[in-house]
Every structure is written in structure tokens, then in C-alpha cells.
């Protein structure tokens, strides 16, 4: 949160907006980036708490907005608008961060992320000035080591602690013994969680039952639903919303989910279509497939087929660029 997002990413955007002339964006490029960020809004999945804002408002951006920029939107909106050398340099940070934030890659490609971050820090001084290599920039090279110790970046990020401050603040009702009051409320909450732990179901929660419409693959006893939430990670699947029905499967296929079916006394099944034409978003510093960045042809889909919820791996942030072309970025947490 403080090193990558509020530290390095925010400083880079400030350089591009009001830095030296040779690294500053032109007015036309800056306006293009602002427009592209606004155009992303309809595609932002429900798991994101804030929608993209123009980079002109960088002083008011929250840490979550900076996280979304470095992990998802930045590589897309900056392409073709930022100086090519600066863009390649920024991709080093994007690829390394996406590797370290995902439980699927943080161990397997840890050494690769370390190489990228060392390269990023070494090039930072030449591109932006050696006197701008701050403590945050230097700290990047240590992130892979701590990821090996503690797991994906989100395991030891400050985001969860910042969010918990809201609960602590609401716990204080009296100014006389605030610490004791906070301790008692946390203790009560923990006891309640432990008491009800056996009642928590990991099955998806289903919403908005819809008509069968005489679909050939639906039995009379089956029920169709518009929306479900995977309880373990609070991931939303909504077949009626463009932003919430694209997923990456365990076998690496990208799919769009068309129907949620709940057979009687059985787990849910999903009727899906797979994207047949999938290519790399870029191949430098290495294949974007590794970090879950894809280009897909939205018109080239297979016929409907059935999968179960255990076949899903990551939800995807799919951004349509035209009638047939879209960019898909896997969200950086597993569903189950």
C-alpha cells in the first residue's frame, strides 16, 4: 500500500503530469488517458470499491485507485501515449507487482519478479533522476524476499489494517476507557465468529431466480439464477452484468458465463462459452500470459458447455476496445 501504490506509483504519475519536459505527457496524451480511464468505468468489476478517475486528480487518489492503476488499468491507458522508454520501464513494475500479488505466481516466478524490480530501480535514476530514488523505490527490491516469507503481497499489505481502523473507531463510545472498550468489542466479535464458525457455508450464495425459458439443458427440477457470490472470497458472478461474468478457469481457458443452474440436491453448474482466439497483450519483459494479461476476440466463442464452480480460478476484468477486440486481466486473488 505505502511502498508500491502511495509511494512509487503515485510519484510516477506526478512525474508524467508535472515533471521535466522530456518525461512529461503532452496535453493531448494526458487528455487521452483521462478519457480512456473514464471509458473503463462500465467494465470495472463489482469487487473494486472505486471507479477510475482522471490522472489530473492524482493528488486526491486513494491507495485503492493507485492499486487498480498499477495492476490493471495503467498498462492499457498508457500504451501509445507515454514515452516508449518510460512505458517499458513502467511495465517492469506492473509485471513484478502482478507476479507478487497473486498466490498463483508469487512463489513460482519470485526470482523473475526480483530481476524485474532490480532492473526497474536501476533504470529509475537514469529516467527520472538519481536524486529521486527514494526509500520507497529502493524498498521494491526487497518485496520478493518478504513474499517468500509471508506469501502474496496482500497477506502483509496495510490495506486490511487501514480498513480495520474504521471498525476500531466505531467501537469507541466512551472517552474514559477507549483501549479497554476496543479490546472488549474485538474480543466479543472473535468469540461470536468462533461460535458460529461451524454454521458458515462455503457454498455460493444465490440471488434472483429467473425463468427457465424452456432451455434444453435445464431439467424441470433445476433452478436458474442471475447472480451468485462465492462466500470464501466474496467474488461476485452476475450473468446480467457485463463486468461480472468473465472468468479464467483452472485449465487456463477464458470464459464468459451465460447461465447459473442449481440442480436439486447438487452443487451449482455453470453454462459457459470459451474464447477461442486468445493472444498476448505484450511479450516484453516476457509473455503477458504469465501475469494474466490477454487479448481476446469477443466474436470468436465456442458453443455452450457445462462446468462446475471448482473449475473457476480467477475472475477477469475484461475491457472492450472495439466490437471484436477486448483485453482481459485476471483479478489477483483466487475464487475458492
Amino acid at each position: 500500500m505505502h511502498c508500491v501504490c502511495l509511494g512509487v506509483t503515485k510519484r510516477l504519475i506526478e512525474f508524467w503530469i508535472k515533471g521535466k519536459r522530456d518525461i512529461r505527457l503532452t496535453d493531448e496524451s494526458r487528455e487521452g488517458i483521462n478519457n480512456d480511464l473514464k471509458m473503463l468505468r462500465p467494465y470495472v468489476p463489482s469487487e473494486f470499491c472505486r471507479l477510475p478517475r482522471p490522472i489530473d486528480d492524482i493528488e486526491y487518489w486513494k491507495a485503492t485507485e493507485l492499486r487498480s492503476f498499477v495492476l490493471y488499468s495503467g498498462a492499457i491507458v498508457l500504451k501509445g501515449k507515454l514515452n516508449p522508454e518510460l512505458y517499458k520501464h513502467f511495465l517492469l513494475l506492473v509485471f513484478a507487482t502482478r507476479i507478487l500479488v497473486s498466490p498463483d505466481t508469487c512463489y513460482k516466478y519470485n526470482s523473475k519478479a526480483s530481476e524485474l524490480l532490480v532492473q526497474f530501480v536501476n533504470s529509475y535514476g537514469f529516467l527520472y533522476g538519481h536524486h529521486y530514488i527514494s526509500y520507497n523505490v529502493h524498498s521494491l527490491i526487497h518485496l520478493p524476499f518478504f513474499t517468500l516469507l509471508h506469501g502474496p503481497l496482500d497477506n502483509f499489505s496495510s490495506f486490511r489494517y487501514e480498513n480495520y481502523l474504521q471498525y476500531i473507531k466505531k467501537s469507541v463510545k466512551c472517552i474514559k476507557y477507549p483501549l479497554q472498550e476496543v479490546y472488549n468489542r474485538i474480543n466479543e466479535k472473535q468469540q461470536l465468529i468462533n461460535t458460529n464458525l461451524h454454521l458458515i457455508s462455503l457454498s455460493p450464495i444465490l440471488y434472483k431466480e429467473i425463468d427457465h425459458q424452456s432451455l434444453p439443458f435445464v431439467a424441470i427440477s433445476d433452478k436458474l439464477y442471475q447472480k451468485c457470490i462465492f462466500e470464501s472470497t466474496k467474488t461476485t458472478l452476475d450473468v446480467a452484468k457485463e463486468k461480472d461474468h468473465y472468468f479464467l478457469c483452472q485449465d487456463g481457458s477464458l470464459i464468459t458465463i451465460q447461465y447459473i443452474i442449481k440442480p436439486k440436491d447438487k452443487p451449482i453448474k455453470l453454462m459457459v462459452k470459451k474464447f477461442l482466439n486468445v493472444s498476448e497483450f505484450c511479450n516484453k519483459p516476457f509473455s503477458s500470459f504469465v501475469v494474466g494479461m490477454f487479448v481476446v476476440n469477443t466474436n470468436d466463442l465456442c458453443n455452450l458447455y457445462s462446468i462446475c464452480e471448482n473449475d473457476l480460478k480467477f475472475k477477469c476484468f475484461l475491457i472492450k476496445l472495439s466490437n471484436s477486440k477486448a483485453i482481459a486481466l485476471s483479478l489477483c486473488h483466487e475464487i475458492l
Side-chain angles (χ1 to χ4, degrees):
M1 177 179 173
H2 295 99
C3 175
V4 179
C5 301
L6 291 169
V8 178
T9 304
K10 186 173 184 179
R11 174 57 66 90
L12 288 176
I13 298 174
E14 288 172 345
F15 279 141
W16 302 332
I17 293 176
K18 50 191 177 185
K20 295 184 295 182
R21 182 175 297 179
D22 56 335
I23 62 174
R24 194 168 61 231
L25 289 163
T26 64
D27 292 341
E28 183 181 356
S29 295
R30 193 175 74 251
E31 190 62 31
I33 292 170
N34 289 337
N35 291 335
D36 287 348
L37 285 169
K38 291 177 184 176
M39 289 175 62
L40 295 184
R41 290 186 167 204
Y43 305 110
V44 176
S46 298
E47 288 73 21
F48 290 65
C49 59
R50 291 178 181 271
L51 296 176
R53 286 194 283 177
I55 57 173
D56 289 339
D57 297 335
I58 185 60
E59 293 181 7
Y60 307 104
W61 279 27
K62 300 295 185 182
T64 53
E65 294 172 275
L66 291 161
R67 184 183 191 274
S68 299
F69 187 86
V70 71
L71 290 176
Y72 305 106
S73 61
I76 297 168
V77 300
L78 294 175
K79 192 171 185 180
K81 302 180 182 69
L82 187 64
N83 176 297
E85 284 299 314
L86 300 181
Y87 182 74
K88 290 177 185 177
H89 182 250
F90 177 67
L91 284 185
L92 296 175
L93 179 65
V94 172
F95 274 53
T97 307
R98 285 186 66 86
I99 286 173
L100 296 178
V101 81
S102 172
D104 194 46
T105 56
C106 67
Y107 296 112
K108 185 177 180 180
Y109 297 103
N110 190 275
S111 60
K112 188 64 180 178
S114 182
E115 291 175 19
L116 296 179
L117 290 174
V118 169
Q119 187 179 346
F120 177 87
V121 174
N122 288 338
S123 302
Y124 192 95
F126 294 104
L127 294 171
Y128 299 103
H130 291 281
H131 54 290
Y132 287 117
I133 300 180
S134 63
Y135 179 78
N136 281 324
V137 175
H138 169 77
S139 296
L140 290 174
I141 63 177
H142 299 288
L143 292 180
F145 170 75
F146 287 107
T147 301
L148 290 176
L149 289 179
H150 306 297
L153 289 182
D154 286 336
N155 281 12
F156 56 98
S157 169
S158 294
F159 278 107
R160 63 171 67 188
Y161 305 107
E162 290 276 344
N163 292 338
Y164 201 72
L165 288 176
Q166 178 177 312
Y167 174 79
I168 292 176
K169 183 179 178 181
K170 290 181 179 179
S171 300
V172 179
K173 305 296 182 184
C174 176
I175 62 172
K176 191 173 182 180
Y177 300 110
L179 292 179
Q180 293 90 329
E181 191 168 13
V182 169
Y183 170 81
N184 289 335
R185 297 295 82 77
I186 292 176
N187 193 37
E188 289 171 2
K189 184 179 180 181
Q190 190 61 51
Q191 290 179 1
L192 182 63
I193 291 174
N194 292 338
T195 302
N196 296 330
L197 194 61
H198 66 285
L199 300 176
I200 298 175
S201 172
L202 296 180
S203 300
I205 302 174
L206 301 169
Y207 298 91
K208 298 183 180 179
E209 185 177 349
I210 56 180
D211 294 335
H212 280 203
Q213 300 175 342
S214 303
L215 296 171
F217 47 79
V218 181
I220 296 177
S221 59
D222 293 346
K223 293 183 178 180
L224 258 65
Y225 291 89
Q226 175 187 316
K227 177 182 176 181
C228 76
I229 295 179
F230 298 97
E231 185 67 11
S232 55
T233 57
K234 305 298 182 184
T235 301
T236 301
L237 162 59
D238 192 328
V239 296
K241 292 184 178 179
E242 183 78 12
K243 61 184 182 179
D244 285 326
H245 63 78
Y246 297 103
F247 286 79
L248 180 67
C249 291
Q250 298 284 355
D251 62 3
S253 58
L254 281 163
I255 61 168
T256 170
I257 299 177
Q258 305 290 303
Y259 300 99
I260 303 169
I261 303 172
K262 179 65 175 73
K264 188 175 182 181
D265 301 325
K266 292 182 180 180
I268 66 167
K269 66 177 182 178
L270 308 168
M271 300 303 297
V272 307
K273 290 184 176 182
K274 180 172 71 173
F275 291 103
L276 298 176
N277 191 335
V278 181
S279 58
E280 296 174 328
F281 171 74
C282 61
N283 55 15
K284 292 181 180 180
F286 53 87
S287 174
S288 63
F289 286 158
V290 174
V291 293
M293 300 173 71
F294 315 89
V295 176
V296 299
N297 186 329
T298 54
N299 293 332
D300 196 2
L301 295 165
C302 73
N303 294 326
L304 275 172
Y305 67 97
S306 174
I307 65 170
C308 65
E309 61 177 288
N310 291 327
D311 292 322
L312 300 177
K313 189 172 187 180
F314 294 107
K315 187 174 180 178
C316 285
F317 182 175
L318 188 132
I319 303 158
K320 289 191 175 180
L321 305 179
S322 65
N323 291 332
S324 61
K325 185 179 179 182
I327 295 175
L329 304 101
S330 62
L331 301 194
C332 297
H333 62 83
E334 293 182 319
I335 295 168
L336 301 174

